[in-house]
Amino acid sequence: MSIRTATTADVPRIVDLGAALHAESPRWSRIPFNRSRAAETMTSLILNPSGVVFLYEVDGIVVGGIAGLLQPHWACDASIAHEMSFVIDPEYRGGMAACRLICSLVAWGRIKGAAWLHAGTSTGLDAEMTAKLYERLGFDRCAIGLEYHYGN
């Protein structure tokens, strides 16, 4: 088991994991998954000096990942780190993969000089359990997410 930074060669596996999570999500599965768009987004984060994708491997197989992006706050000079995507193969949920990936992103944000790291869950899968994991790792609840449906 190890954590490493993703390369563009990892994008197909990242997209496969993302597609599986998309299909599993009661919320996300209402809209179509676009493999090309997902690959473009992950490639952009990997190549961007303000982006990162960490992967969790077991016996050389990527079983999870977390992606982040550092952006300026809209109203001040502070930089904010954002979790952009987070996925763990269902077989490896409940172990150390999630904790290690989140801690890697926290450390990356600190090194980048972020004022804070914004993370959350939007899949509709085990939201409360996910929030409690983040809280155990030092996160505070800080936002409420809402969505408006346009007939989808």
Side-chain angles (χ1 to χ4, degrees), residues 12 17 52-53 75 86 98 117:
L17 287 168
V52 71
V53 178
F86 183 29
L117 168 60

Side-chain angles (χ1 to χ4, degrees), residues 45 50-53 66-74 78-86 105-106 108-109 112 114-120 134 139:
L45 288 170
S50 294
V52 71
V53 178
I66 194 166
L69 180 65
L70 187 72
Q71 295 179 309
H73 187 277
W74 72 274
S79 292
I80 309 301
H82 299 273
E83 174 210 295
M84 303 300 293
S85 179
F86 183 29
L105 193 61
V106 167
W108 171 83
K112 288 289 195 177
W116 64 69
L117 168 60
H118 184 263
Y134 278 105
F139 286 73

Side-chain angles (χ1 to χ4, degrees), residues 2-14:
S2 64
I3 298 273
R4 67 173 176 83
T5 305
T7 68
T8 55
D10 296 306
V11 170
R13 176 62 179 151
I14 296 166

Side-chain angles (χ1 to χ4, degrees), residues 34-88:
N34 183 323
R35 294 183 75 82
S36 296
R37 175 73 176 129
E40 178 184 305
T41 300
M42 288 300 120
T43 299
S44 176
L45 288 170
I46 289 166
L47 296 177
N48 184 341
S50 294
V52 71
V53 178
F54 291 109
L55 301 176
Y56 189 84
E57 286 185 328
V58 175
D59 298 326
I61 309 269
V62 173
V63 299
I66 194 166
L69 180 65
L70 187 72
Q71 295 179 309
H73 187 277
W74 72 274
C76 67
D77 295 329
S79 292
I80 309 301
H82 299 273
E83 174 210 295
M84 303 300 293
S85 179
F86 183 29
V87 60
I88 305 284

